[in-house]
Amino acid sequence: MVPTLRYIRDEVVPVIGPVRIVSGYRDPIANACFKGAKASRHLRFAALDLTPVRPLSRADLIAKLCPLHARTGARFDVGLGIYAITRFHIDTAGHRRWGADYHAASSPCC
């Protein structure tokens, strides 16, 4: 979790501002209720779902997070999921991206 927290502090917050954690560790039952991936990084407490504290449209969130992930994602091994509204996922357990249906093809990032 420490690398994920550092990435959020050092890379995400300077780009979108303060964030609120809405999901961290999930036990297998909670993960199933959230319809999380079977190998979700939340199960290992290596991922966080977040929302911006300041008002930010989904389009603005995408416009800020996608270029950040393109620049730094591989170097820091970042997984970026962007969901409905302005909720997003960050982990440092594998460089990848996905969208609202948890598949790479639905990622709003090109």
Side-chain angles (χ1 to χ4, degrees):
M1 182 53 69
V2 172
T4 299
L5 290 168
R6 284 186 182 134
Y7 182 81
I8 293 165
R9 179 194 67 198
D10 297 344
E11 305 296 333
V12 174
V13 170
V15 171
I16 68 166
V19 294
R20 178 173 293 118
I21 297 169
V22 294
S23 182
Y25 171 75
R26 295 182 195 153
D27 63 39
I29 294 170
N31 193 59
C33 286
F34 279 106
K35 297 183 174 135
K38 290 180 183 178
S40 172
R41 300 329 192 257
H42 288 280
L43 294 167
R44 298 183 306 199
F45 195 42
L48 294 171
D49 288 347
L50 309 143
T51 59
V53 171
R54 296 184 190 133
L56 188 66
S57 72
R58 185 169 188 272
D60 287 341
L61 181 73
I62 290 165
K64 292 173 185 259
L65 287 180
C66 291
L68 173 66
H69 190 251
R71 274 191 325 273
T72 65
R75 180 170 21 126
F76 292 103
D77 218 16
V78 173
L80 171 65
I82 300 179
Y83 305 119
I85 356 175
T86 58
R87 185 174 175 147
F88 64 100
H89 168 112
I90 296 284
D91 70 59
T92 51
H95 181 232
R96 65 216 185 286
R97 65 178 189 244
W98 62 93
D101 70 357
Y102 306 107
H103 292 95
S106 68
S107 172
C109 302
C110 299

